[in-house]
Amino acid sequence: MSALNPSLQLALQRLAQAFEEAIERTQEAAGQLAGSALKAARRDELLLTQALLRQQRSQCLGQFQQNLIQAWNPKSETVAQGRPSNWSELSLLDDTAVDAIVAADRIGKALGHSCEWELREVEAYTGALLGDPEAGPDRNPVRPELIARALLAAVDGMTDQPGLRQTLSEELTRSLSLLMKICYSDLAMQFVQRGLTAQDMRTVSAEGGGRSSSGDGLSTSQAGALGSSQAGAMTAAERQALGGATAAPAPIGARGGLGHVEPVVMDLLRRLHFSAPMLSQASLADASAPAAGNLIHLHREELRQATQTPLDHMVIDVVASLFDAILADPKVPPQMARLIGRLQLPVLRAALGDTSFFAKRSHPVRRFVNRLASLACAFEDFSRDPGLGFLQRVAELVEEIAGGDFERLATYEKQLDALESFIADQGQKLLQAQGQDTAALLERKEAQARQRLQYQKQLEKALGELPLPEFLRRFLSRDWSAVIVHAANQGEQQELMARRQGRDLAVSVLPKGGSAARKDFLTQLPLLVRGVNLGLDNVGTPEALRKQLFADLLPVHAEALKTPALSVLDQNLLIKRIEAAFGLAVPDEAEALRATISLDIDLEQVFAPDEAHQVGLVAEAEVAWTGEVDIDLSAEAAAPLQAVDISIDGLPSAEAPEPTQGAALFEHLQLGCVYRMHTGEGWRKVKLTHISAQRSFFIFTEGEQIAKTVTMTARMLRRLCESERLKAFESAFLLERATARAREQLAALLPAKSGGR
């Protein structure tokens, strides 16, 4: 057997990669199907399928590759002849061979069903791959028919039981068919990168290629209107306009699908989606524009006919009920409800392929829909910015999903990242429009607070073994260390002065025996007191603390004047140790952050009164914590949803909903969402506009056009949550609310149980 040329070797690696991913998907899907199987025999068969794939994965992949290599061998008749099958010759074959040919033909059609355009692009390189300019699509070495034969050979090598072989081939075909579009796109991209020359695209006949010349979803007239070279150069938008709805190629090896859905179901979902009218930019912000219709209800019978299992039928009904509740939810502005309505069929596709959609609150599709609804509650006016800008950006993201490749989790994760980035940027622009960079100021204050804390710990350790009164050691390490850090940020001269004053304050309590030492002390004392007061003024130290300091120093100084002095050597050694303690370098911001990242820091201390007023800092002392808070915010207030409230019989058990009040709410605060806050006499609606990098400061804004800033430290905000003075504006996320309503509706349709509801 001759060696493969580099281009075919590259194709082999990419096909093997796709087949390996299909094995992984099939293994996972078999376990899920086994859990929902109604018959024990079917469940056992699926579990055995899963076990075979797990145990013989390497052998299966190796057999697949080996069969492809044999088919690509120039001496093999598979590629050399490549002519249409003559059904009259089948009389010479036994029944097993006939079944194999029929199965390979069926699997080949399934693999090529949804990747017509991508396959045509690859077929353009057939001549370059085989070194034969006359080679046509019927000799394409990566055509679905050859891949189907390799798949069957791999299955035959795993087991000799007919039932298991059929299950394996069916499930692997379903998984692999979802990957062929990306696989062919990647191959075409790789062939271009290797410098292969493409031939002009030719119309593929049903006889030669086993596919209709009209392509995937194209009518005969549409296909005939396309020139040979134009068909190969069509953009994704042009293909969507013609019904192909082909998305841009994904990166090689990209993973993260939404589970298996039959190609025929995907085709139907795309057709129904593109048949629905799109939203115009003019009506985007119009609250009185017609509401979105429930497409799933309108096409329910068509969708049920395309799907096969009772579980799929139930999922269709559940998702339809979900969107009934979503589109009628009073908390969702009508402008946003219409945009979310554009996601009906993508959400249905996610639910059909992955039933964990109903259980995992972290599911990207759920997070995206919930996030849109929650963010929309923060805007009061969508006719102008910032509400209008938000709607326009959301419309772009929604159309990119609905009109693109919504079969992949990565699509939703990408849009979520784009949405989060937009919200963060919009919040920064809002704060900057107020004429101050509040976020930057808070970052500096946090860095300063961390430097203070770390330097305080270092100075406290250095002073720990010195013979100083406990009150003075505590003052120098806790309060005067803040003065030194502040001075270090002002300049070298100010820092040296602050260190010297701290050193002099420590030396002032040492024994003074002798008239000369007493005279020097009494002469320098007024200057020392003035310097200490100035330093404390710079960091806003309360007056009460100063009075207490000087009151404690008075008897200590009096005692020091009466106590005999130490020897000159001991005195000098002690002063050297004090000077060494105050000679410690102030840690830089990065060092301080690493050392204090896990510590609870009182950040209010770093703000001067005018700075606190500038950023709208709410201090703990400003809240009447002993006052009663009216828990019932409105007539619509309801008890928080429980996991059992949003579970649906037949679907995976739901995770507990995220908290909307209480201490746990602090860990679930989200940028851009609105909350109800009670810090004074009543409740007010605020929007979380900024969260510092270390989640130490939180900036809320009240109002939209002329926003008032409300800033809180993490300690303050956590206490608000614990005392239930901060609550989420939504009683639960949109999909949790909708699922609870859908569950109630479905329960009402079921016959009442005896003795129960």
Side-chain angles (χ1 to χ4, degrees), residues 28 141 195 249 258 322 360 424 433 465 494 497 539 584 590 631 658-659:
E28 181 181 353
L258 283 167
L322 282 182
K360 294 172 60 178
E465 298 180 358
Q494 289 87 339
M497 184 176 296
V539 295
L584 293 173
I631 301 298
E658 292 193 12

Side-chain angles (χ1 to χ4, degrees), residues 535-570:
L536 296 178
D537 285 340
N538 291 334
V539 295
T541 303
E543 183 66 25
L545 190 149
R546 308 182 198 201
K547 291 182 178 180
Q548 185 63 45
L549 170 67
F550 295 128
D552 292 337
L553 278 174
L554 186 61
V556 174
H557 282 161
E559 184 67 24
L561 292 174
K562 295 185 293 184
T563 304
L566 302 173
S567 67
V568 175
L569 177 61
D570 290 341

Side-chain angles (χ1 to χ4, degrees), residues 148-295:
R149 295 177 194 175
L151 185 151
L152 285 175
V155 169
D156 290 345
M158 295 177 67
T159 179
D160 57 358
Q161 299 182 31
L164 275 179
R165 283 182 174 179
Q166 181 177 353
T167 301
L168 280 166
S169 62
E170 288 177 352
E171 298 303 326
L172 282 171
T173 299
R174 289 192 183 98
S175 299
L176 189 57
S177 64
L178 297 175
L179 302 170
M180 292 310 297
K181 178 184 294 188
I182 297 173
C183 181
Y184 281 139
S185 295
D186 290 345
L187 284 176
M189 191 186 310
Q190 290 175 337
F191 293 157
V192 171
Q193 293 171 352
R194 293 188 65 86
L196 297 185
T197 303
Q199 298 169 295
D200 287 341
M201 301 297 292
R202 290 169 287 181
T203 303
V204 182
S205 67
E207 180 183 1
R211 298 178 303 278
S212 169
S213 62
S214 61
D216 185 10
L218 299 181
S219 67
T220 305
S221 60
Q222 289 171 333
L226 297 175
S228 58
S229 60
Q230 292 173 337
M234 288 180 66
T235 65
E238 290 169 338
R239 293 177 191 173
Q240 289 176 9
L242 290 173
T246 303
I252 297 174
R255 296 175 184 265
L258 283 167
H260 170 70
V261 171
E262 293 286 354
V264 65
V265 179
M266 275 305 306
D267 288 345
L268 176 59
L269 291 176
R270 289 193 181 279
R271 179 170 60 80
L272 294 179
H273 171 76
F274 286 108
S275 66
M278 294 184 61
L279 295 176
S280 65
Q281 288 293 325
S283 63
L284 196 61
D286 185 2
S288 61
N294 193 318
L295 295 176

Side-chain angles (χ1 to χ4, degrees), residues 76 88 128 139 258 384 420 475 630 663 709:
S76 171
S88 63
R139 292 181 58 192
L258 283 167
R384 57 180 176 173
E420 299 296 351
F475 170 80
D630 182 10
T709 302

